[in-house]
Amino acid sequence: QLEPRHVDALRALTDLRRLGGDAQERLQAARNAAEVLPSHPLILLDLAQALLAAKKPQEALTYAQAAAAACPSLSRAHAVLAEVRLALNDKAAAATSAGEALQRNDRDPSAWVADGRVKAAGGDFKGAAEAFTKALELDDYLAQAHWELGKELAKQNRTRDAGVQRERALELEPRVYAGR
């Protein structure tokens, strides 16, 4: 039996790999964590996200669905499921999952990021920018929300504001956003 601090350590390792390594290193760290705790929803979500980063969305779907089934009230599980479904180009299912994430916890920034990405995929750039802004109101250190907001502002020809958001994302997670 692992104590809760061991779960936190495994998740920290996954986060470290995400920030400090490439997608394959992150995927290996997530697989290692899943070997230790194969049914823990947060580990399953880390693995789903790592698989998504490694361009394996079909396999990611399996783990995201398992996490949502294991803990249906976890908004992050539905947010990740929305991201995976977007990667599989299933916009309707992605919108449903993003809506479920917000319904479960509208104070979860990852739910707002998922909602924003779904809206952006559907061409609602203003709605997407609003969702990313809401995510940043909840967590200003969320680099992904800054990056995505920058992309949406650029589509609205707000280049100065877009540049500010992209720079903030680079400042927060340079290894993830450098070169994009």
Side-chain angles (χ1 to χ4, degrees):
Q1 284 286 13
L2 290 180
E3 297 175 11
R5 63 187 170 87
H6 292 119
V7 174
D8 290 341
L10 290 172
R11 293 196 70 242
L13 174 62
T14 302
D15 285 344
L16 178 65
R17 293 292 184 179
R18 179 179 59 85
L19 294 173
D22 65 13
Q24 291 305 314
E25 288 175 340
R26 180 179 176 206
L27 179 56
Q28 188 56 52
R31 286 192 193 279
N32 291 344
E35 285 179 17
V36 177
L37 289 171
S39 61
H40 195 286
L42 296 178
I43 299 293
L44 293 172
L45 289 176
D46 282 343
L47 182 53
Q49 288 179 305
L51 286 161
L52 199 53
K55 310 268 190 256
K56 297 180 180 191
Q58 195 61 51
E59 192 177 349
L61 180 63
T62 302
Y63 292 100
Q65 288 174 323
C71 191
S73 64
L74 184 63
S75 59
R76 181 176 166 228
H78 297 281
V80 170
L81 196 49
E83 298 281 345
V84 171
R85 287 178 165 155
L86 268 182
L88 291 168
N89 205 28
D90 189 348
K91 293 177 186 174
T96 299
S97 294
E100 288 177 16
L102 285 171
Q103 181 181 359
R104 280 159 176 75
N105 183 1
D106 67 353
R107 305 284 303 155
D108 178 0
S110 70
W112 287 103
V113 169
D115 184 58
R117 295 211 51 233
V118 166
K119 287 178 177 171
D124 180 4
F125 307 127
K126 183 178 179 189
E130 290 170 358
F132 297 132
T133 299
K134 180 64 177 176
L136 291 169
E137 288 171 6
L138 296 169
D139 182 359
D140 188 49
Y141 294 95
L142 192 58
Q144 181 185 18
H146 283 287
W147 187 262
E148 296 293 340
L149 178 56
K151 287 179 8 184
E152 297 315 308
L153 292 172
K155 291 174 187 172
Q156 297 174 27
N157 293 321
R158 295 175 54 190
T159 54
R160 183 180 305 219
D161 294 334
V164 168
Q165 294 302 321
R166 288 183 184 142
E167 287 300 317
R168 179 72 172 136
L170 281 166
E171 175 185 311
L172 291 169
E173 292 188 23
R175 292 182 180 148
V176 174
Y177 294 103
R180 282 192 180 187

